């Protein structure tokens, strides 16, 4: 039988004292990265694409385009970034148009952003947003297509070898255009509006232009809508020039 080793009673008492006082070595589990709250993780940052600038305001896209379209547009001002669920073409020819202009007559500039939603032969669809640059909130404005539907009545009338377009604009009277019947292979039963819808800021005023179609391939001209300082359409005129 092997002899039992002698352990001094003082050593035993010291060991008990250390354990009881919490001085004994302790082990700690190292947390897995998936258990760390997202706010504490160091996420990689993405350098945004600058789509347009006006003064100290930038229009940004943080995600690459999908099928030629940027989705999710960020407005960056000196005080904040604000992202909107907007989209715009990635074609540089149709880059966003941005301006800081006093459109409402209050001696403070509004931020106007014009985006292109679609384009092609005889087609251009733009979308406009007017913001207060101080808090980056959107200011509502009248839809020009609704104004056209409310203020314009039109007809296409065949006559012998001719086709007659008649536009009646409220408080403006009639616009009449006479076409040779052979001018178009196919005529519309009634004029169409808005295959081209575009916006422009000019002379501290906002303008919208709505095309008038007489056939699938022919435009008669544009309805030019001028906005007032309340961002309501105050004037509507027909122009033969295609903008």
């Amino acid at each position: 039988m092997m002899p039992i080793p002698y352990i001094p009673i003082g050593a035993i008492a010291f060991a008990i004292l250390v354990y009881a006082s919490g001085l004994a070595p302790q082990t700690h589990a190292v947390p897995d990265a998936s258990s760390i709250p997202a706010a504490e993780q160091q996420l990689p940052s993405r350098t945004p694409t600058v789509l347009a600038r006006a003064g100290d305001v930038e229009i940004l896209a943080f995600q690459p385009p999908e099928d030629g379209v940027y989705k999710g547009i960020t407005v960056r001002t000196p005080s904040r970034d604000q992202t909107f669920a907007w989209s715009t073409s990635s074609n540089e020819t149709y880059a966003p148009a941005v301006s800081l202009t006093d459109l409402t007559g209050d001696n403070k500039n509004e931020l106007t952003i014009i985006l292109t939603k679609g384009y092609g032969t005889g087609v251009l669809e733009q979308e406009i947003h007017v913001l207060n640059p101080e808090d980056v909130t959107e200011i509502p404005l009248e839809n020009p297509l609704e104004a056209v539907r409310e203020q314009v009545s039109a007809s296409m009338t065949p006559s012998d070898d001719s086709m007659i377009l008649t536009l009646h604009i409220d408080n403006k009277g009639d616009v009449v255009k006479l076409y040779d019947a052979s001018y178009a292979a196919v005529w519309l039963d009634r004029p169409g509006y808005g295959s081209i819808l575009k916006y422009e800021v000019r002379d501290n005023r906002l303008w919208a232009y709505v095309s008038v179609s007489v056939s699938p391939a022919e435009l008669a001209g544009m309805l030019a809508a001028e906005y007032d300082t309340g961002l309501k359409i105050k004037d509507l005129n027909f122009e033969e020039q295609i903008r």
Side-chain angles (χ1 to χ4, degrees), residues 24-103:
Q26 299 181 22
T27 60
H28 299 275
V30 177
D32 181 80
S34 62
S35 68
I36 302 175
E40 298 177 14
Q41 296 187 36
Q42 296 298 318
L43 300 178
S45 60
R46 180 186 295 275
T47 301
T49 300
V50 179
L51 304 181
R53 288 187 177 94
D56 53 8
V57 176
E58 292 183 324
I59 308 303
L60 309 173
F62 278 85
Q63 299 297 327
E66 297 179 13
D67 299 323
V69 176
Y70 286 111
K71 297 178 181 179
I73 304 301
T74 298
V75 179
R76 171 170 289 174
T77 69
S79 61
R80 64 184 299 176
D81 284 4
Q82 183 69 48
T83 300
F84 297 89
W86 304 336
S87 62
T88 192
S89 171
S90 63
N91 187 329
E92 293 184 0
T93 302
Y94 300 98
V98 184
S99 66
L100 286 163
T101 308
D102 180 13
L103 296 176

Side-chain angles (χ1 to χ4, degrees), residues 93-147:
T93 302
Y94 300 98
V98 184
S99 66
L100 286 163
T101 308
D102 180 13
L103 296 176
T104 60
D106 60 357
N107 296 317
K108 296 181 180 179
N109 286 338
E110 282 71 48
L111 173 62
T112 304
I113 304 169
I114 301 173
L115 307 174
T116 296
K117 307 283 288 184
Y119 61 90
T121 303
V123 175
L124 178 62
E125 180 187 0
Q126 290 186 336
E127 178 179 276
I128 189 167
H129 300 279
V130 179
L131 307 181
N132 180 336
E134 295 180 358
D135 57 10
V136 200
T137 56
E138 190 153 9
I139 302 170
L141 69 159
E142 186 173 2
N143 185 323
L145 291 175
E146 291 180 2

Side-chain angles (χ1 to χ4, degrees), residues 4 6-7 19 24 31 33 43 55 129 140 145-146 159-160 182 195 240:
I4 299 174
Y6 171 75
I7 302 175
Y19 183 83
L43 300 178
H129 300 279
L145 291 175
E146 291 180 2
S159 177
D160 298 327
S182 62
S195 62
E240 292 196 30

